[in-house]
Amino acid sequence: MSLKRAFNPVVDANTRLLILGSLPGDASLKASQYYGHPQNGFWRLVEGAIGIDLAALPYPLRLTTLKAAGVGLWDVIASAERTGSLDGAIRNAEAADLNQLVDSLPSLRAVAFNGGAAARLGRRRLAARPGIDLVDLPSSSPAYTRPFADKAAAWALLGRYAGRR
């Protein structure tokens, strides 16, 4: 098993919506990009929710565009041992300091969890946060085989936090 680490958070003082995954998978780590697996639906799901084309943009511009829309990214796990990319293979996880990050975001209105593992771990740490909605989402991972249209319907609710109604 190899030790894998999360990327730095993508946030600024205008972040209204923070989307938390569990821990980057192998394709993302290799590409040094959030949601770097070509079949991960994350970018298409977010663009549908916020009404901004992201998937066609070069990665650095995706991040800039997300931040401009008030959307931030991070993971609930700072580091862990894991063979492969499945959340079920995570061992010896070190939690990310979610409370410190949330405290640094004065405009934050919601935290959304990308998948069950992120929700289980993140909700435990952020449960007592008045004024911040916690939203569970179906995983954008291709390993979670729910139809894309079903995922998109659930993710569409994020638009209200990023300024889209």
Side-chain angles (χ1 to χ4, degrees), residues 7 24-25 27-37 43 58-60 62:
F7 301 126
S28 295
L29 291 168
K30 184 176 181 182
S32 295
Q33 298 181 0
Y34 277 99
Y35 304 101
H37 190 291
W43 296 105
Y59 181 73
R62 286 181 191 177

Side-chain angles (χ1 to χ4, degrees), residues 14-55:
N14 299 313
T15 299
R16 294 182 303 278
L17 168 64
L18 177 63
I19 302 174
L20 298 173
S22 55
L23 183 70
D26 288 346
S28 295
L29 291 168
K30 184 176 181 182
S32 295
Q33 298 181 0
Y34 277 99
Y35 304 101
H37 190 291
Q39 288 160 359
N40 191 300
F42 177 83
W43 296 105
R44 290 179 22 229
L45 291 165
V46 172
E47 75 183 20
I50 66 174
I52 299 171
D53 185 18
L54 295 168

Side-chain angles (χ1 to χ4, degrees), residues 46-137:
V46 172
E47 75 183 20
I50 66 174
I52 299 171
D53 185 18
L54 295 168
L57 298 175
Y59 181 73
L61 192 52
R62 286 181 191 177
L63 298 183
T64 301
T65 303
L66 266 187
K67 286 198 305 188
V71 180
L73 300 176
W74 205 28
D75 290 300
V76 298
I77 298 172
S79 67
E81 294 175 355
R82 179 172 64 189
T83 299
S85 298
L86 297 178
D87 287 345
I90 293 172
R91 302 287 180 264
N92 301 317
E94 175 192 339
D97 194 344
L98 300 180
N99 285 299
Q100 181 180 3
L101 181 66
V102 166
D103 288 343
S104 75
L105 301 173
S107 301
L108 191 66
R109 295 174 43 211
V111 175
F113 303 104
N114 183 359
R120 279 188 302 280
L121 297 169
R123 277 185 170 276
R124 275 187 244 153
R125 289 173 183 80
L126 298 174
R129 287 289 181 161
I132 298 176
D133 294 342
L134 301 180
V135 180
D136 295 356
L137 299 169

